[in-house]
Amino acid sequence: MVRGTGRLEAITRQNELLAEQNDLLREEIELLRRPSINDSRPCFVDNIDRDEMRNGFLVTSQRKKLWNVQIGLINEFARICNKYNLRWFALYGTLLGAVRHKGFIPWDDDVDVAMLRPDYEKFRQIAATEVHSPYFLDVWYNYRFESEGASPVDAEGAFQFVTAEQEKVRGMKWLTQWPSIRLRDNRTTMIDYPDRHFINQGIWLDVFPLDPLPPFATKEQTNFFETAGILLLATASPALIRNAIQNNQKFIISHEELKKFLSRPFRERGGIYDSFMNKNFFMSEHIGEIRDHCLTKGHKSYHSKDFTNVTYLPFERIELPAPADYDSVLTSCYGSNWRTPIYTHSHANIYSTDIPWTEYFKR
């Protein structure tokens, strides 16, 4: 009797599990019948719904969908640039992918383009009215990463000297995006700062400004470069400049002017820096990102003549504008062995082409 009861209970439980499984299958079929949020997007990547091997690397369908969103961003960016006759170029990994792979580097997951400073500033100003939902214009100084309660000026308006260690203790994080613009898709998620929910974290396209780099022909040009470097450091890493002032280190800018600059909010400092770069732009023999000379050890620079003419390269199902002498540019950027694929880590492990970043953080 006991044995029969146990068998009946097992059969009943099995039937319950089968019923649950059938319910799940019905739900899955219903979801498959519903149109995906991506169905309205044009397709710019071959075999987007299939995984494939590229250069010995597994490119999943999900990564292809990420690429597809990013090409959508390229097309939106190109639309604005074409409308206002602004020049731009694929650069960094995007240029390398276009030349070497005729598309994305298989393990890459972002898009990099560059513009000479005057075109960059025109784009930033124009895009404020040209960029509409679902896209979003994200300028590097949009966010104040330092503690909102911290100030380099005390209650009486006197300048406070704060060491890097003191900033660390006070929880002041002077982190910043690189001086750049990001065009984002608000329908998507690509987490770069998981602990900063107030930052727009939709899938992005990076736009970098190209500025004059040394060696320079005149003392005035050298002074411009030194001033730019100090302004950028005072924006991105103010403790460094404060400590230098405290140690009586001399700069091309007076200590009083630097103190006034440092007392401004982060967004104002960033805006002043960009305005200074645009107002004082000139064509020099070499161009690149000044941040490489101030904030990193990269020191990448390119011959400005290499950006005089444009060539168009296939990139997945579209074409990208590239410096005509892209060999010289890629050699300056990656060295003479740039043709040999070298695996690098992706920028973000958490991304979705279906879930908006605001929805992700709500969950």
Side-chain angles (χ1 to χ4, degrees), residues 155-214:
E156 297 179 356
F159 185 80
Q160 298 182 82
F161 294 110
V162 183
T163 66
E165 187 60 31
Q166 286 173 322
E167 282 193 350
K168 184 178 179 182
V169 171
R170 295 163 95 180
M172 297 168 67
K173 298 179 180 179
W174 299 92
L175 301 175
T176 175
Q177 304 271 17
W178 296 124
S180 64
I181 292 169
R182 280 184 168 177
L183 184 64
R184 295 183 183 268
D185 188 326
N186 277 331
R187 298 167 293 182
T188 66
T189 295
M190 193 167 182
I191 303 301
D192 208 15
Y193 300 97
D195 61 333
R196 297 168 188 268
H197 297 192
F198 58 91
I199 297 175
N200 187 307
Q201 299 196 53
I203 293 171
W204 71 78
L205 171 150
D206 275 321
V207 186
F208 296 103
L210 298 176
D211 293 303
L213 296 181

Side-chain angles (χ1 to χ4, degrees), residues 257-272:
E257 288 299 317
L258 276 175
K259 291 174 185 178
K260 289 179 183 178
F261 183 74
L262 288 166
S263 69
R264 294 176 178 271
F266 171 71
R267 181 177 295 205
E268 285 187 28
R269 297 199 305 274
I272 291 170

Side-chain angles (χ1 to χ4, degrees), residues 92-108:
Y92 302 130
T94 304
L95 176 61
L96 181 59
V99 175
R100 199 173 64 191
H101 304 274
K102 294 182 171 54
F104 283 93
I105 298 172
W107 43 88
D108 201 6

